[in-house]
């Protein structure tokens, strides 16, 4: 039995479209050529793949069974060709990215999509953690690039690239009793604060850790759940808190001595690590992300 990829492509295109004419247009071939390729495939298989009626082609039982196999062969062939082209171009096999859960977002994931579309043979590996975990993964070579909330610390072995900034807001459970939307410092200090571990362990803790009693967590989603359940207040990215505010689960407030605050996001990579085309493209796309 001698089968060709052209025959399988003609079979699949005809099955999908229901006609040799449309299949020929999809494959950019003459309809006679497509018809001959399907007929030759049937001869090679010793099976009828279509019931041929006037102006209509219908898959036979055998045709329906073999369609999935033909489709799989063509898909695997496409993957084979893509991988071969990638090897020929000496493209990286894998892109390992570490992302701070505090700023993980759909917008950032769109950058992954751009990279994947440009390098279709690339394997993506994305890790999530707090900023210190992201830094450690990059240092150990477990991630080529890290994207994290800046803690304003500088490391001689790490190259840092500023990406964008975002607004942070103070939140409380919507039913938490407070005197006003603008609270005196002392009133805020008397409410338990739920803070990020990376803030506590960084260089800006005095600015962001205010209360006399503080709980810590390393995940923004966990912090929001704690606030919703009345454990205290927290300072989190507005874009993450917004859906819960709109649902009436959270409310925002301001502190007299701290009216507005923004945090910054940066990309990091090891200084001595080669910035290959995948890394360069990801950084280019990430730099386009808007302030939030």
């Amino acid at each position: 039995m001698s089968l060709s990829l052209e025959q399988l492509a003609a079979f699949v295109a005809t099955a999908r479209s229901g006609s040799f004419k449309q299949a020929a247009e999809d494959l950019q071939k003459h309809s006679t050529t497509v018809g001959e390729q399907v007929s030759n495939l049937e001869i090679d298989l010793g099976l009828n793949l279509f019931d041929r009626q006037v102006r209509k082609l219908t898959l036979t039982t055998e045709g329906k069974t073999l369609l999935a196999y033909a489709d799989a062969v063509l898909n695997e062939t496409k993957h084979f060709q893509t991988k071969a082209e990638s090897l020929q171009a000496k493209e990286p096999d894998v892109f390992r990215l570490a992302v701070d859960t505090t700023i993980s977002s759909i917008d950032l994931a769109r950058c992954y999509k751009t990279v994947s579309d440009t390098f279709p043979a690339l394997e993506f590996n994305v890790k999530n953690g707090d900023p210190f975990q992201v830094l450690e993964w990059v240092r150990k070579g477990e991630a080529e690039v890290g994207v994290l909330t800046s803690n304003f610390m500088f490391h001689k072995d790490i190259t840092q690239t500023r990406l964008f900034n975002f607004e942070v807001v103070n939140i409380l459970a919507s039913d938490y009793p407070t005197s006003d939307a603008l609270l005196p410092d002392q009133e805020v200090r008397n409410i338990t604060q739920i803070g990020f571990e990376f803030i506590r362990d960084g260089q800006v803790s005095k600015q962001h850790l205010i209360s006399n009693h503080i709980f810590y967590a390393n995940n923004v989603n966990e912090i929001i759940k704690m606030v919703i359940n009345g454990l205290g207040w927290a300072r989190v990215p507005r874009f993450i808190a917004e859906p819960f505010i709109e649902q009436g689960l959270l409310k925002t407030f301001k502190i007299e001595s701290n009216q507005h605050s923004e945090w910054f996001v940066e990309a990091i990579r090891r200084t001595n690590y080669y910035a290959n085309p995948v890394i360069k493209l990801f950084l280019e796309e990430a730099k386009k992300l808007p302030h939030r």
Side-chain angles (χ1 to χ4, degrees), residues 19-169:
S19 74
F20 291 133
K21 181 179 180 181
Q22 184 59 52
E25 291 182 10
D26 294 340
L27 296 172
Q28 297 183 335
K29 294 184 177 182
H30 195 279
S31 58
T32 302
T33 301
V34 173
E36 288 177 351
Q37 287 174 332
V38 172
S39 295
N40 289 335
L41 177 61
E42 289 177 314
I43 293 171
D44 290 338
L45 295 173
L47 296 168
N48 290 324
L49 301 175
F50 294 97
D51 285 327
R52 290 165 170 77
Q53 302 173 13
V54 178
R55 296 183 180 179
K56 185 178 181 181
L57 292 173
T58 305
L59 281 168
T60 62
T61 300
E62 293 82 1
K64 292 177 181 178
T65 300
L66 291 175
L67 177 60
Y69 291 93
D71 216 7
V73 170
L74 293 176
N75 282 329
E76 287 300 317
T77 300
K78 182 179 178 180
H79 289 310
F80 177 85
Q81 291 173 332
T82 299
K83 189 61 179 179
E85 291 168 0
S86 174
L87 291 172
Q88 187 178 40
K90 301 188 184 304
E91 295 172 355
D93 292 326
V94 63
F95 180 45
R96 297 170 298 178
L97 180 67
V99 179
D100 175 3
T101 54
T102 310
I103 47 87
S104 179
S105 68
I106 292 176
D107 288 340
L108 187 60
R110 290 194 185 100
C111 298
Y112 312 165
K113 180 66 164 57
T114 301
V115 173
S116 178
D117 288 345
T118 306
F119 301 95
L122 188 70
E123 176 187 323
F124 246 93
N125 187 332
V126 182
K127 289 184 175 185
N128 289 113
D130 66 37
F132 285 106
Q133 288 176 307
V134 171
L135 175 61
E136 193 63 18
W137 287 329
V138 171
R139 273 186 163 157
K140 289 181 176 179
E142 295 178 19
E144 280 80 43
V145 176
V147 180
L148 71 167
T149 306
S150 175
N151 60 10
F152 302 98
M153 296 175 67
F154 299 93
H155 311 273
K156 63 180 180 179
D157 57 334
I158 295 294
T159 296
Q160 296 163 277
T161 303
R162 177 69 63 85
L163 297 181
F164 59 91
N165 61 291
F166 59 91
E167 182 184 0
V168 292
V169 292

